[in-house]
Amino acid sequence: MAAEEEGLTGPGESGSVPGPEAEARREPAAEPPGERRSEPRSVPELLLGRPPMARPLPSFDHDAAPAEPGPLLVDWLATALDAGVLDPQAFTLSTVDADGMPDARVLVLRDVDAAGTGWNFSAAADSPKGRQLADHPAAALTVYWPQLGRQVRVRGSVERAADLVAAAEFATRSPAARASSLVGRQSEPLAALTEYDEAVAVARRRLEAHPDVVPPGHAVYTLWAHEVEFWQGDSQRRHVRLRYTRTGPVSSPDWSRTLLWP
């Protein structure tokens, strides 16, 4: 097959291989636009000129805030959805391990009661977070919605719900989420992604044969809030922070409200 047919030469070129002198005279190929690689930069250089919250943000009238944090959370969540915030239900759960070292990960907030006292999420009881909550049943939940410059912080004690509650919650999950939970082994070392894919395939077949199956370690937790803070960012750093502190029991909570310095 000729060199041109192999794609080794272009139109009008001979099939001869250029010598060293020709190679030395050849100009380096120009990089396509947008593909030039820049030199590695430091974190401060990457962030220089990009101040946070330098955009129009909503206001927050703390005087008009409700007496309980629950209705305010619903209002802010609805506003986040209307503003097109991606995954507004994705909250960061912070716990501590047996050595007192902090740990954090993002998970899905499942529900909040009307008063804003009980904040529900699910997890595998044998996962790192499940074991940490068993040893030290206290945690914090945090969410930040960038489009609105709004943050919500929750701190309190954590209680595991009954298995019937966990089974009912598991039934509401998507098939992909249920299969992943059936695989289990969260945070354990994984040799290759193909190993996980094979385990998921087995879990899916198990779900097809037994639609009501629930992993024995699937758990629903309630964070009983002691404090809930609503934080509205401001481009001029005049942030508005309103903290709710629970003063009554979980069964009939009362709340005090405090405006905090930014």
Side-chain angles (χ1 to χ4, degrees), residues 190-212:
L190 177 66
L193 287 175
T194 53
E195 183 179 353
Y196 173 76
D197 294 337
E198 292 169 359
V200 168
V202 172
R204 286 175 176 165
R205 290 195 293 270
R206 184 182 174 190
L207 276 173
E208 291 173 358
H210 307 282
D212 297 330

Side-chain angles (χ1 to χ4, degrees), residues 18-31:
E21 296 82 6
E23 289 289 344
R25 292 193 300 269
R26 182 175 294 173
E27 295 292 333
E31 295 182 355

Side-chain angles (χ1 to χ4, degrees), residues 30-56:
E31 295 182 355
E35 294 188 9
R36 182 171 298 176
R37 296 182 178 180
S38 60
E39 293 297 323
R41 291 175 290 178
S42 66
V43 170
E45 288 175 324
L46 288 170
L47 300 179
L48 186 65
R50 293 182 176 271
M53 294 173 288
R55 57 189 178 278

Side-chain angles (χ1 to χ4, degrees), residues 108-132:
V108 173
L109 181 70
R110 295 293 175 181
D111 195 9
V112 180
D113 65 19
T117 310
W119 300 61
N120 296 336
F121 59 91
S122 61
D126 58 352
S127 67
K129 54 182 170 291
R131 294 192 297 269
Q132 290 165 6

Side-chain angles (χ1 to χ4, degrees), residues 8 14 16 37 47 53 57 60-61 63 68 89 91 110-111 117 131 143 172-173 183 215 232 240 262:
L8 301 179
S14 67
S16 61
R37 296 182 178 180
L47 300 179
M53 294 173 288
L57 295 172
F60 175 31
D61 183 1
D63 288 327
E68 300 174 323
Q89 70 275 56
F91 277 58
R110 295 293 175 181
D111 195 9
T117 310
R131 294 192 297 269
V143 66
T172 66
R173 293 179 154 224
V183 169
Q232 173 62 67
V240 179

